Amino acid sequence: MSKVQQVLVVPRAHLENIHRFQGFLPAGPGLLDRLLVPAAMSFMDRPAAEEDPSHKQLIPYLVVRHAGKFLAYTRGKKGSESRLHALRSIGVGGHVEPCDGPAHESLARGLERELREELHLPGVPEMRFLGLINDDSNAVGAVHLGLAYLVEAMAEPSVADLALVDPRMETLEELRAKADKYETWSRLVFETGEALA
């Protein structure tokens, strides 16, 4: 019998006490610290979390840039989230799990683990928190909260995860020109003014 996957969550009420919003909320002073309060963070069985909009699963959403271009790919059928298959994306990442450490310490480790699992990146990339992604307009977004980061790669990345299909490096203008092909979270990041500046 396989063990049920657990994922890092915060109560929706905690998020809404910080800021109630739909779309992309740019990073501001103390935003991440106010979200990642140890007492608010816990692990929940993933099947329950996927059906419980009173909690938000915290998902590191890592946007990789090199030489002014961004890594974009299509979500293949090998990916764990079937509701996103065949959509283009600029974000890599996934759920934070107990293997990443205690809930209040796990986000940074989970972020680094997801990056290593999905991409080959030479050297130690620089990372900058961009902001939060919240999209309650659909079933996937209603139970997830994206923590968007910009990853500045030292060289062009290559894909390690077969669920990332047709990877390409594209300019911001190219991404915006094909916005209708992209998942909502990607559009919210690259269509928001200064997010990727």
Side-chain angles (χ1 to χ4, degrees), residues 62 108 111-112 115 121 125-129 149-152:
L62 310 170
L111 185 154
E112 292 171 5
L115 198 57
L121 284 176
E126 292 182 20
M127 290 192 206
R128 173 170 59 92
F129 177 59
Y149 289 82
L150 180 62
V151 178
E152 294 283 7

Side-chain angles (χ1 to χ4, degrees), residues 56-107:
K56 286 280 194 174
Q57 299 168 58
L58 299 182
I59 307 292
Y61 196 75
L62 310 170
V63 179
V64 179
R65 179 168 66 187
H66 173 66
K69 293 187 175 184
F70 299 88
L71 175 67
Y73 66 94
T74 299
R75 290 188 180 272
K77 292 184 178 178
K78 292 183 185 291
S80 64
E81 183 48 81
S82 62
R83 296 170 289 190
L84 299 177
H85 290 170
L87 293 174
R88 295 289 287 171
S89 178
I90 60 166
V92 298
H95 294 88
V96 178
E97 304 172 26
C99 66
D100 298 315
H104 65 284
E105 299 174 359
S106 59
L107 185 72

Side-chain angles (χ1 to χ4, degrees), residues 7-177:
V7 294
L8 186 65
V9 300
V10 296
R12 175 184 289 273
H14 173 64
L15 172 64
E16 292 182 351
N17 283 338
I18 296 167
H19 196 91
R20 183 175 291 193
F21 72 101
Q22 167 71 20
F24 182 77
L25 180 64
L31 176 61
L32 203 53
D33 290 336
R34 284 180 287 145
L35 176 68
L36 304 179
V37 174
M41 302 166 69
S42 63
F43 290 106
M44 178 184 282
D45 288 350
R46 184 173 177 184
E50 293 290 349
E51 303 296 330
D52 181 4
S54 73
H55 285 81
K56 286 280 194 174
Q57 299 168 58
L58 299 182
I59 307 292
Y61 196 75
L62 310 170
V63 179
V64 179
R65 179 168 66 187
H66 173 66
K69 293 187 175 184
F70 299 88
L71 175 67
Y73 66 94
T74 299
R75 290 188 180 272
K77 292 184 178 178
K78 292 183 185 291
S80 64
E81 183 48 81
S82 62
R83 296 170 289 190
L84 299 177
H85 290 170
L87 293 174
R88 295 289 287 171
S89 178
I90 60 166
V92 298
H95 294 88
V96 178
E97 304 172 26
C99 66
D100 298 315
H104 65 284
E105 299 174 359
S106 59
L107 185 72
R109 293 180 197 161
L111 185 154
E112 292 171 5
R113 175 182 54 77
E114 286 289 341
L115 198 57
R116 284 193 312 271
E117 288 176 358
E118 299 196 7
L119 300 176
H120 297 297
L121 284 176
V124 179
E126 292 182 20
M127 290 192 206
R128 173 170 59 92
F129 177 59
L130 296 174
L132 301 176
I133 308 166
N134 186 52
D135 178 22
D136 287 328
S137 70
N138 60 68
V140 179
V143 294
H144 295 88
L145 180 70
L147 283 72
Y149 289 82
L150 180 62
V151 178
E152 294 283 7
M154 298 171 66
E156 188 169 315
S158 60
V159 167
D161 186 340
L162 295 178
L164 280 59
V165 178
D166 189 24
R168 299 179 198 171
M169 299 301 291
E170 299 191 324
T171 66
L172 192 53
E173 292 72 24
E174 289 170 328
L175 296 174
R176 288 174 172 165

